[in-house]
Amino acid sequence: MSAHCQLTGARPGFGNTVSHSHRRTSRRFDPNIQRKRYWLPSESRYVRLTLSARAIKAIDAMGIESAVARIRARGGKV
């Protein structure tokens, strides 16, 4: 599963791990990505979305219909 959110577009950030001796090694900050299934009443079907935890909370607030419209406006496939 790719670490990218379909709604918010959150992707991994990159940086360094700094040890006690101050050596730097590369690391990756992954968003909290979940696969979630929602019922889409307008199309009478389930849709499975790859979302960050923050996007799941946003869908709870705004509703699945407007979230799917926003994903499609960004050019995403639902």
Side-chain angles (χ1 to χ4, degrees), residues 54-68:
R54 192 178 79 184
I56 292 171
K57 292 175 188 174
I59 288 176
D60 290 344
M62 75 170 102
I64 186 64
E65 295 288 345
S66 60
V68 167

Side-chain angles (χ1 to χ4, degrees), residues 11-31:
R11 291 183 181 272
F14 295 90
N16 291 312
T17 299
V18 182
S19 71
H20 179 69
S21 65
H22 224 57
R23 285 183 69 130
R24 289 175 166 85
T25 53
S26 278
R27 65 159 292 179
R28 208 169 113 139
F29 297 91
D30 285 328

Side-chain angles (χ1 to χ4, degrees), residues 6-8 58 62 64-76:
Q6 288 181 288
L7 182 63
T8 63
M62 75 170 102
I64 186 64
E65 295 288 345
S66 60
V68 167
R70 194 176 289 187
I71 291 170
R72 286 182 174 147
R74 294 182 74 216

Side-chain angles (χ1 to χ4, degrees), residues 13-50:
F14 295 90
N16 291 312
T17 299
V18 182
S19 71
H20 179 69
S21 65
H22 224 57
R23 285 183 69 130
R24 289 175 166 85
T25 53
S26 278
R27 65 159 292 179
R28 208 169 113 139
F29 297 91
D30 285 328
N32 185 5
I33 297 294
Q34 313 289 325
R35 287 197 68 184
K36 189 127 170 71
R37 193 174 83 143
Y38 289 98
W39 175 252
L40 194 58
S42 64
E43 298 179 16
S44 300
R45 69 183 183 105
Y46 284 100
V47 291
R48 189 177 299 267
L49 301 174
T50 306

